[in-house]
Amino acid sequence: VGKWHLGDQPGFLPTRQGFDSYFGIPYSNDMGVRKGKNWPPLPLMRAERVIEAPVDQNTLTRRYTEAAVEFIRSNRDRPFFLYLAFTIPHANNEAWCQGMEVPDYGPYEKKLWLKPQKGMAAMVTRMDSDIGRIVAHLKELDLRDNTVIFFTSDNGPHSEGCYNPRRFDSNGPLRGKKRDLHDGGIRVPLIVR
């Protein structure tokens, strides 16, 4: 479920790479321009079929969470593996310094922060809430104590969309950020429960 990032060519889709099902976008939500041309609108796919294009990125986190909850419910009576790749927190690089676009800033609206920082905080809060919903669903189905959950990131913090990773000490003592080969770019958080 979620961002696949390997493209929409049939041989590279999750269902051709060992997954039984798929719901998500087949390439990155930051692929705005390639060789001076815009990428096609982001398609939302189920299995190998486009079900919606363009997709409203503001709804993806909620929809991914719903798909994950439904997958867990459908597979609760047997061992399962669920790979869930949220697209947030992520900048919209075409929006430049408004790049942490979210439907609203929620509890951060009145903070005396720049918009990219408010957007980052709102995205992390939204993702945290949805992960909490998934964990609560596991508990409701009496699966929480028999399920291993890995939470990690695909890279270090970024500075896209004018976001300043030092604002929230996103990298702690590490040097570097996304796309750097310093520790801060390649070492990522990992929580296992």
Side-chain angles (χ1 to χ4, degrees):
V1 174
K3 179 170 71 170
W4 178 241
H5 224 323
L6 293 183
D8 58 359
Q9 298 303 306
F12 294 105
L13 291 171
T15 50
R16 306 275 181 106
Q17 300 295 320
F19 287 90
D20 296 326
S21 61
Y22 174 59
F23 176 79
I25 57 175
Y27 47 82
S28 177
N29 53 321
D30 62 352
M31 291 179 161
V33 178
R34 181 179 74 176
K35 294 183 183 174
K37 297 183 179 178
N38 286 332
W39 279 80
L42 281 175
L44 183 63
M45 300 182 76
R46 184 174 303 282
E48 297 183 10
R49 189 171 61 85
V50 174
I51 59 173
E52 185 180 322
V55 63
D56 178 0
Q57 291 194 59
N58 289 319
T59 66
L60 281 178
T61 302
R62 176 182 50 81
R63 293 171 79 180
Y64 291 164
T65 302
E66 290 167 357
V69 166
E70 180 53 39
F71 177 86
I72 293 166
R73 180 177 292 127
S74 297
N75 291 281
R76 68 178 170 221
D77 294 325
R78 60 187 178 141
F80 62 83
F81 173 80
L82 169 65
Y83 174 74
L84 171 60
F86 286 119
T87 52
I88 61 172
H90 208 286
N92 174 357
N93 293 332
E94 286 78 39
W96 192 236
C97 283
Q98 305 301 317
M100 306 305 284
E101 294 178 307
V102 291
D104 63 73
Y105 295 127
Y108 311 103
E109 180 69 42
K110 297 196 187 302
K111 295 282 186 187
L112 298 177
W113 301 343
L114 297 174
K115 289 180 180 180
Q117 279 66 37
K118 290 180 185 184
M120 175 64 86
M123 283 191 233
V124 171
T125 298
R126 175 184 275 185
M127 181 176 57
D128 184 57
S129 174
D130 283 326
I131 292 168
R133 183 173 163 208
I134 292 167
V135 173
H137 187 68
L138 289 168
K139 182 178 181 183
E140 176 187 316
L141 296 175
D142 200 30
L143 296 173
R144 189 176 72 177
D145 293 335
N146 196 28
T147 301
V148 180
I149 301 170
F150 291 81
F151 178 83
T152 191
S153 177
D154 59 350
N155 48 249
H158 67 78
S159 59
E160 297 160 356
C162 294
Y163 174 70
N164 179 355
R166 284 177 256 158
R167 174 69 172 109
F168 299 122
D169 197 23
S170 297
N171 233 5
L174 302 179
R175 180 175 61 140
K177 60 187 180 213
K178 180 179 180 178
R179 296 186 182 94
D180 286 344
L181 294 180
H182 296 291
D183 282 357
I186 57 176
R187 289 177 59 183
V188 296
L190 171 65
I191 300 169
V192 180
R193 184 198 183 282

